[in-house]
C-alpha cells in the first residue's frame, strides 16, 4: 500500500530531526567550520546522498537549524501573549526559557556562541544577525508586556528582566549540576512579574 502524504511528511520530518541532532552534536563538539557534511552523515547514520536529498550543503543545513531555533523562540513568546494577564505572560517566558536551557544547555551555548560571532566570519555573521534581529523583535514584545503590567519605565524594566533571565540561563549552562531552577524561577517571578504596589 503506498504511503499517504501525511506518512511521507512524518518520515521527512523524522529524517530532518535526525540530521539536525547529528549536526548539533558535531557543531558543539568540533565547531561549525571543522565539521564536514561527511561527518554529519556518519553521525546521523545515513548516506551522504540522503542528506543531500534534504540539504544542498552544510550552510543550508545550518540555515534550517537557525530557522527552527527562531521559530522555537517565537512560539514561546506567542504562547505567552495569548495568556490573560501580564503576570502570567512573564511567568510563561521564565518557565519556557529556563526549562529549555535546563533540558538542552549545550544547544543554548551553541546559539549563544553563534550570536557573538565576529563580523569577519562571513558565513556565521549572517546567522548571528538573524538570531539577534529576532531577539530584538521579542524584546519589543516583552516591553509591551511590562507596559501592560503598569510599571514605570517599562522598557528599562524589561531590560533588567532580560539581563536577569539571560544571566540565569548562562549560569545554568556553566554550573548545571545542582542549579536551583525552581528557586530561580520563583525569585524572578517575585522580582519582576507583579504589578507595582499602589
Amino acid at each position: 500500500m503506498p504511503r499517504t502524504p501525511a506518512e511521507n511528511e512524518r518520515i521527512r520530518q523524522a529524517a530532518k530531526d535526525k540530521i539536525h541532532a547529528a549536526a548539533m552534536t558535531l557543531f558543539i563538539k568540533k565547531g561549525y567550520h571543522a565539521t564536514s557534511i561527511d561527518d554529519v552523515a556518519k553521525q546521523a547514520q545515513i548516506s551522504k546522498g540522503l542528506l543531500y536529498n534534504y540539504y544542498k550543503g552544510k550552510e543550508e543545513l545550518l540555515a534550517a537549524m537557525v530557522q527552527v531555533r527562531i521559530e522555537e523562540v517565537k512560539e514561546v513568546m506567542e504562547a505567552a501573549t495569548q495568556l490573560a494577564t501580564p503576570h502570567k505572560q512573564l511567568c510563561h517566558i521564565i518557565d519556557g526559557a529556563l526549562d529549555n536551557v535546563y533540558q538542552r544547555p549545550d544547544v543554548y551555548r551553541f546559539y549563544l556562541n553563534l550570536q557573538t560571532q565576529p563580523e569577519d566570519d562571513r558565513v556565521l555573521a549572517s546567522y548571528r544577525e538573524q538570531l539577534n534581529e529576532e531577539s530584538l523583535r521579542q524584546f519589543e514584545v516583552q516591553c509591551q508586556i511590562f507596559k501592560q503590567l503598569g510599571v514605570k519605565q517599562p522598557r528599562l524594566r524589561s531590560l533588567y528582566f532580560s539581563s536577569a533571565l539571560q544571566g540565569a540561563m548562562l549560569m545554568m549552562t556553566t554550573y548545571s549540576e545542582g542549579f536551583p531552577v525552581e528557586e530561580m524561577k520563583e525569585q524572578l517571578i517575585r522580582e519582576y512579574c507583579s504589578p507595582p504596589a499602589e
Side-chain angles (χ1 to χ4, degrees), residues 66-82 92-93 96 100 130-131 133-139 141-142 145:
V66 168
Q67 195 55 46
V68 169
R69 179 65 171 183
I70 287 172
E71 291 302 319
E72 287 174 349
V73 173
K74 285 168 70 175
E75 283 175 16
V76 170
M77 292 300 283
E78 286 171 4
T81 57
Q82 299 302 310
H92 183 83
I93 291 170
N100 184 282
Q130 289 178 36
L131 289 165
E133 285 171 7
E134 186 57 34
S135 292
L136 286 173
R137 273 193 288 274
Q138 300 310 327
F139 179 74
V141 174
Q142 187 179 281
I145 296 174

Side-chain angles (χ1 to χ4, degrees), residues 4-196:
T4 65
E7 286 172 326
N8 283 331
E9 181 54 33
R10 182 185 59 75
I11 291 168
R12 283 179 57 82
Q13 191 56 52
K16 285 183 176 182
D17 290 345
K18 191 174 182 180
I19 293 167
H20 286 202
M24 180 60 70
T25 298
L26 293 168
F27 292 165
I28 290 168
K29 184 178 178 182
K30 301 171 65 170
Y32 172 80
H33 291 299
T35 299
S36 70
I37 209 75
D38 279 337
D39 295 333
V40 177
K42 285 177 186 170
Q43 180 75 22
Q45 298 182 321
I46 63 173
S47 70
K48 199 161 70 169
L50 180 60
L51 196 155
Y52 279 123
N53 193 39
Y54 293 105
Y55 302 104
K56 292 177 184 171
K58 191 170 66 169
E59 187 172 348
E60 188 174 296
L61 171 57
L62 178 63
M65 293 168 68
V66 168
Q67 195 55 46
V68 169
R69 179 65 171 183
I70 287 172
E71 291 302 319
E72 287 174 349
V73 173
K74 285 168 70 175
E75 283 175 16
V76 170
M77 292 300 283
E78 286 171 4
T81 57
Q82 299 302 310
L83 297 173
T85 66
H87 171 83
K88 289 181 179 177
Q89 293 169 2
L90 291 171
C91 290
H92 183 83
I93 291 170
I94 292 169
D95 283 340
L98 294 187
D99 288 346
N100 184 282
V101 175
Y102 182 72
Q103 291 160 7
R104 304 185 301 172
D106 289 346
V107 172
Y108 172 75
R109 269 202 301 269
F110 171 74
Y111 285 111
L112 184 63
N113 184 45
L114 196 54
Q115 281 184 271
T116 56
Q117 287 298 307
E119 291 179 10
D120 286 350
D121 189 325
R122 293 182 181 177
V123 174
L124 298 185
S126 68
Y127 301 105
R128 179 200 66 190
E129 288 173 17
Q130 289 178 36
L131 289 165
N132 288 340
E133 285 171 7
E134 186 57 34
S135 292
L136 286 173
R137 273 193 288 274
Q138 300 310 327
F139 179 74
E140 294 301 325
V141 174
Q142 187 179 281
C143 289
Q144 289 303 311
I145 296 174
F146 274 98
K147 188 175 180 182
Q148 292 166 15
L149 193 64
V151 300
K152 292 179 181 175
Q153 299 182 298
R155 193 172 193 81
L156 188 58
R157 190 69 175 156
S158 180
L159 190 59
Y160 290 154
F161 172 74
S162 286
S163 300
L165 185 59
Q166 293 285 339
M169 293 159 73
L170 186 59
M171 290 296 288
M172 194 186 300
T173 65
T174 308
Y175 305 103
S176 57
E177 192 171 331
F179 188 89
V181 180
E182 295 306 318
E183 289 87 343
M184 184 60 69
K185 286 181 184 177
E186 290 170 8
Q187 180 65 29
L188 289 168
I189 289 168
R190 274 197 302 273
E191 288 281 335
Y192 295 100
C193 300
S194 297

